[in-house]
Amino acid sequence: MSAPRTYRLAKRLAQLEPSATAAMTGRVAQMRAAGINVISFSVGEPDFDTPAPIKAAGIAAINQNYTHYTPAGGIAELRKAVAQRASSDSGVTYGINQVTTTAGAKEALYLAFQALCDDGDEAIIPAPYWVSYIEQAKLAGATPITPMASDASGFKLTPEQLAASLSPRTRIVVLNSPSNPTGAVYTAAELRALADVLRDSEAIVISDEIYDAISYVEYARWLKVAPEMADRTLIVNGAAKAYAMTGWRVGYVAGPQPIITAIKDIQSHTSTHTASISQYAALAAYTPSDEIEATVAEMSTQFHKRRDLILGLLAEIPEITCNVPDGAFYVFPNVTGLLNRPLRDGRVCTTSDDLTNYLLDAAHIAAVSGESFGAPGYIRFSYATSEEQIVEGMRRFIAAVKG
């Protein structure tokens, strides 16, 4: 038998790190296939069903044979609805040519990095960060600059950190509020202070607002606070989290028309457009509806209850501390007190990555280590699961870390 072929891959892939959240999801699937009862706190998606009127719109699109190509930016009706939503949210008026729909907010971010960055550019991405920001910046040739926002600051970038991170090479500044993985929500005063630092910079701000519908405090929007930044801001959002539509793959980006045109040009040579059926479902989501908005509000209420539940259970472990998240559906406890000490079976974990592997093996609960988010010593738990699963999962966690 001949030797396996060696393939030459693109050099840029050498620095690409696989998605830790996807890797954990894969491990969980393998264990469940083997009959192991794993409770997963690793998946970043609502466990609710897509609201019925949105599903009905998707079914109607199939039945009406809306199954052919659409313009790269999406059907005109959807772009109009998205432009109206972005305008209402931000206080900045967006026309239909200042928005494009994408295959999820992840593609919106990828296309933005591709459209804006060249080799040698820098992208300021505050840590803890969502895993894909870093890899998307690198794929676009940019160098990620990752100032660490500490739990003492509520995991929010300070003006001093932003000023120290800026350079003539800064091309992009990413702001994510509510945050994945920490659930941090910036106040209006905090956003205003960051805008003041950026006043004389040419950097483009990417405001990732994908969790905007899941905020337990008054939600401050970047452009509502700093409207003068509209010509240097891209708003990224989507239907996934607010409307429990992760699998439909619908996102959007709104911003200055020249950048949006560039994004659509790239899109025309990659995905072409968001799936046509998903576009019609999203049109229902973004068309004002009391029924849909009531469902969204109820989902947020349930997430709020689950947040309080998991925080109360985590408080029973004296070795860890945990900030109270103000949005999204994650807690991000500091687990350094559990490291370098014997756990239930005598194992000693030296990193939070070790600890998440131990919890999966010994307690059959899945979480994602802080290393994946640029924050060693922490673990992300998603509480987008039932109260029963939260209670049982935290029971297993507590039992597994007792010495």
Side-chain angles (χ1 to χ4, degrees):
M1 187 172 66
S2 60
R5 180 181 293 274
T6 300
Y7 295 94
R8 181 179 65 82
L9 301 177
K11 292 179 180 178
R12 62 181 170 275
L13 297 183
Q15 59 181 340
L16 187 67
E17 295 289 338
S19 168
T21 51
M24 182 59 75
T25 299
R27 287 196 63 192
V28 169
Q30 290 177 344
M31 293 177 70
R32 285 175 172 169
I36 300 171
N37 176 13
V38 179
I39 294 176
S40 180
F41 296 100
S42 64
V43 180
E45 69 171 340
D47 60 319
F48 299 102
D49 294 331
T50 303
I54 298 174
K55 292 192 289 186
I59 294 168
I62 295 172
N63 290 332
Q64 294 172 41
N65 295 310
Y66 293 152
T67 55
H68 302 281
Y69 285 132
T70 77
I75 58 174
E77 304 96 309
L78 177 57
R79 285 186 289 138
K80 181 179 179 181
V82 167
Q84 291 173 340
R85 174 64 62 90
S87 299
S88 175
D89 285 345
S90 68
V92 173
T93 300
Y94 289 99
I96 192 171
N97 293 322
Q98 292 176 284
V99 301
T100 185
T101 61
T102 56
K106 182 180 285 188
E107 189 194 31
L109 290 160
Y110 175 81
L111 294 172
F113 277 109
Q114 290 293 319
L116 292 172
C117 293
D118 284 314
D119 290 349
D121 287 337
E122 294 177 350
I124 297 176
I125 302 171
Y129 44 69
W130 178 54
V131 294
S132 291
Y133 293 142
I134 298 295
E135 307 311 320
Q136 292 186 357
K138 292 190 295 187
L139 284 171
T143 300
I145 306 299
T146 57
M148 174 61 72
S150 71
D151 49 6
S153 68
F155 294 117
K156 290 181 273 192
L157 181 70
T158 67
E160 294 77 16
Q161 288 177 309
L162 177 58
S165 300
L166 283 170
S167 83
R169 295 183 298 280
T170 303
R171 183 63 174 146
I172 285 175
V173 176
V174 176
L175 295 177
N176 177 211
S177 176
S179 162
N180 176 5
T182 67
V185 178
Y186 285 85
T187 67
E190 289 164 341
L191 292 176
R192 182 67 259 171
L194 296 177
D196 290 343
V197 173
L198 293 171
R199 182 182 295 114
D200 298 323
S201 169
E202 291 300 315
I204 304 294
V205 173
I206 296 179
S207 181
D208 183 351
E209 302 178 4
I210 189 67
Y211 292 96
D212 61 348
I214 310 169
S215 181
Y216 316 125
V217 296
E218 183 178 357
Y219 181 57
R221 293 186 188 272
W222 170 247
L223 287 183
K224 277 284 183 75
V225 172
E228 75 280 4
M229 293 289 294
D231 64 345
R232 291 195 285 127
T233 293
L234 294 177
I235 296 174
V236 171
N237 209 324
K241 315 300 182 179
Y243 300 103
M245 293 178 65
T246 51
W248 295 83
R249 307 312 302 141
V250 182
Y252 69 80
V253 56
Q257 184 171 338
I259 301 177
I260 299 302
T261 298
I263 287 173
K264 287 194 290 186
D265 287 345
I266 302 171
Q267 199 174 8
S268 72
H269 291 291
T270 52
S271 61
T272 305
H273 59 73
T274 306
S276 59
I277 296 160
S278 296
Q279 289 186 48
Y280 284 95
L283 177 59
Y286 288 125
T287 298
S289 161
D290 290 342
E291 179 182 353
I292 293 174
E293 293 312 310
T295 302
V296 171
E298 177 58 25
M299 285 192 288
S300 183
T301 297
Q302 292 302 315
F303 284 134
H304 197 168
K305 289 175 58 180
R306 295 172 183 182
R307 181 204 70 171
D308 293 344
L309 174 63
I310 197 169
L311 284 173
L313 296 169
L314 286 170
E316 297 179 20
I317 307 174
E319 293 86 358
I320 70 173
T321 59
C322 188
N323 277 24
V324 176
D326 286 327
F329 39 68
Y330 309 105
V331 288
F332 201 60
N334 184 325
V335 296
T336 53
L338 295 174
L339 304 181
N340 301 305
R341 57 181 290 272
L343 299 175
R344 182 182 64 189
D345 65 356
R347 190 182 315 187
V348 175
C349 297
T350 60
T351 67
S352 54
D353 196 44
D354 289 344
L355 184 59
T356 55
N357 286 325
Y358 166 75
L359 292 174
L360 187 58
D361 294 339
H364 298 159
I365 58 174
V368 185
S369 68
E371 281 88 347
S372 308
F373 307 104
Y378 294 83
I379 287 180
R380 190 194 77 173
F381 290 97
S382 167
Y383 51 87
T385 189
S386 69
E387 293 185 19
E388 293 77 14
Q389 293 278 282
I390 291 171
V391 170
E392 172 59 16
M394 290 300 102
R395 184 197 66 77
R396 296 183 188 184
F397 183 26
I398 293 168
V401 298
K402 286 183 177 180

